[in-house]
Amino acid sequence: MTTTQLPRRDSKMEMPRPTPVPIFTQSRVSDPREPAADMGTLADRLRSLMDLAAGRQMTIPLGGRYFDAVITANGPAAYGVVRLMDDVQRGPADPPDACGPVIEDPQRGWLIWLVPPGTSSQWARAPHRFAICLGVPHKLALPPLDHAEPPGPYWLRRCRSDRLVPAEPLRHYLNQFEPDPVPHETVLGSMLRTIS
């Protein structure tokens, strides 16, 4: 077997390549004394977060980066679904109430399940018989984080930073347990922002 040396490139000093010069387009400069167009939304969200931190109710838009909401009736059938979702979401180090965040509104007879954003558009293609799913443009009033029992709406399953309720198992169990009556969508849209 013969070996052939690969050709080598001459090691002449090459001329350095010119550094590309960035081209900045002229943008319209607004009046520095005027707030940016999106600052109103940011200020509203900061006020809401401060309310929540102070133990007051917070209203947040559904959809976007946060969550959508599935609304069902409360009662024995719905509580059975909550217990099954505890089992679905329980990891080795989780407490028994491992289900993602669920708000109970005893006055209206609702459970409000916080599910991943985008769930409302998926459920709109295949409506559910025992639940309504809402996203953009609706808003939801969240009870204070430490409110874990009646009176008023409270966290049946606490709000955690690491989980939402997974939509597909929830849909399956709602079909199986059939919590009734189903909340009406037009009523929901106007009332969710005012739970207190």
Side-chain angles (χ1 to χ4, degrees):
M1 175 189 239
T2 60
T3 58
T4 307
Q5 186 106 7
L6 294 174
R8 298 186 102 185
R9 186 174 167 187
D10 285 340
S11 60
K12 291 189 259 179
M13 185 68 113
E14 290 184 21
M15 294 293 291
R17 294 182 187 166
T19 305
V21 177
I23 300 171
F24 297 100
T25 58
Q26 184 67 20
S27 62
R28 195 180 76 151
V29 177
S30 61
D31 185 346
R33 294 168 295 190
E34 294 294 318
D38 61 351
M39 287 306 288
T41 304
L42 178 61
D44 290 342
R45 292 206 178 154
L46 283 173
R47 277 191 290 277
S48 292
L49 288 171
M50 289 169 51
D51 283 344
L52 196 61
R56 294 185 296 264
Q57 176 179 301
M58 170 183 165
T59 301
I60 191 165
L62 295 175
R65 295 179 302 161
Y66 301 110
F67 46 77
D68 286 351
V70 169
I71 298 91
T72 65
N74 63 359
Y79 301 140
V81 176
V82 172
R83 286 189 294 278
L84 286 170
M85 293 305 297
D86 284 335
D87 293 340
V88 166
Q89 292 195 265
R90 186 175 299 123
D94 285 331
D97 63 342
C99 180
V102 181
I103 300 167
E104 181 163 13
D105 185 344
Q107 179 184 357
R108 294 183 177 106
W110 295 346
L111 289 187
I112 302 166
W113 311 74
L114 304 186
V115 295
T119 302
S120 62
S121 59
Q122 295 169 2
W123 283 32
R125 291 190 289 272
H128 197 279
R129 297 181 309 149
F130 301 100
I132 299 291
C133 187
L134 298 177
V136 173
H138 300 285
K139 293 183 178 183
L140 173 65
L142 301 176
L145 291 176
D146 62 350
H147 199 89
E149 57 187 37
Y154 65 96
W155 295 98
L156 181 65
R157 291 297 183 263
R158 63 192 168 104
C159 188
R160 305 167 200 216
S161 60
D162 67 338
R163 71 189 68 194
L164 291 170
V165 178
E168 285 310 309
L170 175 62
R171 187 177 179 97
H172 170 76
Y173 289 131
L174 291 174
N175 273 332
Q176 185 178 344
F177 280 72
E178 304 179 353
D180 218 6
V182 181
H184 192 272
E185 186 172 3
T186 56
V187 174
L188 281 174
S190 63
M191 296 179 96
L192 282 178
R193 70 179 68 208
T194 60
I195 350 181
S196 58

